[in-house]
Amino acid sequence: MADAAQQGAEAETGEVREAHRFDVKRLEAYARDAVDGFSGPLEVLQFSGGQSNPTFLLTTPKRRYVMRKKPPGVLLASAHQIDREYRVMKALAETDVPVPHMYALCEDDSVIGTAFYIMEYLDGRVFRDSTMPESNEAERRAVYSNLAANLAKLHKVDYQKVGLGDFGKPGNYFERQIGRWIKQYRGAQTTDIPSMEELIKYLPAHIPGEELVTIAHGDYRIGNTMFHATEPRMIAVLDWELCTIGHPLADVAYNCMYDLMGVASSAPQVDRSKTPGVPTIEEYVAEYCRHAGRDGIEDFNFYLAFSMFRLASISQGVYKRGLDGNASSERAKTLGDACANLANKAWELVQRGDA
């Protein structure tokens, strides 16, 4: 999963890391020709964090920009597709979905070593903690309402009209996704997990009949959005790396699933009721439905269970790579119970139904 493109806070920047260094003069020369109004000299800092795609703050005497680039080295063909990020944000520029302005996409590796794009710098707030501990009740309520409203706006966009008709395969989203994650799990399986076997039998046979096709962000959550510096108003949806043409309710469930993330490490579910202003899952779904013009969402626990099953399969893959010595972090080896914990919770959701 991607992390939010970190903008708006110089404290989150530092010197460009050794593995991600490039020729700044070449970048400056490119931007002078490709970015309207650009003039140097150019200074570059790197945003901290573990982004899938390294992100940089570009500073000139007149203006700041943000650059996202592919990481160096040999990459999977389906990963780090920054051209897709650029394309979807560019396409949404004329809609009411808040996105940064896109300046330029460069797919010529000879400029700085990998493909990259340059976008608008936005000075705002990213809420890393979903309970927003530094905020008050009124702001939390307004932020979450805004979060739901903008997700509904995204799902109302006519993807063909904005030029994204070939951005993904329309229809049969859950069938294709479930098949993909079963295959991924089987390829990384290290032990028998009864709840995974139950989900593998149950999910393909119980896909809800509501076939919807919209733009699906794929990683929509409060930490992947930016809000105004002082107002509870979203100014950008970020990190579109997993975006495709998919099913809107997968986005809604994924957005809510973050309350359940702690179960991967045997932690209890987040209790939003203890933080005034932060909606429960039921309240948030109702808010989304209000903005989306829906009466409700049937079979919502199926969508939640699917999201948990997807994450369980991903966790198993990371753990297996850790055992094989191919993971990017030593933490991978600590995920031995994550798949089972997530699958157990997903199966519990399925058995509970939508009562």
Side-chain angles (χ1 to χ4, degrees), residues 232-247:
R233 172 172 56 86
M234 191 187 296
I235 60 174
V237 181
L238 303 169
D239 275 347
W240 295 84
E241 185 183 354
L242 300 179
C243 181
T244 190
I245 303 304
H247 198 294

Side-chain angles (χ1 to χ4, degrees), residues 34 126 148 201 209 226 243 342:
V126 175
K201 289 186 291 185
M226 176 170 282
C243 181
L342 290 163

Side-chain angles (χ1 to χ4, degrees), residues 89-136:
M89 286 189 278
K90 186 81 170 177
L92 291 171
E94 301 305 317
T95 73
D96 57 359
V97 178
V99 290
H101 175 72
M102 298 290 107
Y103 285 107
L105 169 67
C106 177
E107 297 182 274
D108 180 357
D109 290 354
S110 70
V111 178
I112 62 169
T114 66
F116 65 93
Y117 66 82
I118 297 173
M119 65 181 171
E120 176 186 14
Y121 169 88
L122 294 171
D123 192 2
R125 295 176 292 168
V126 175
F127 297 107
R128 307 293 180 195
D129 187 329
S130 64
T131 61
M132 300 169 58
E134 303 303 318
S135 299
N136 56 45

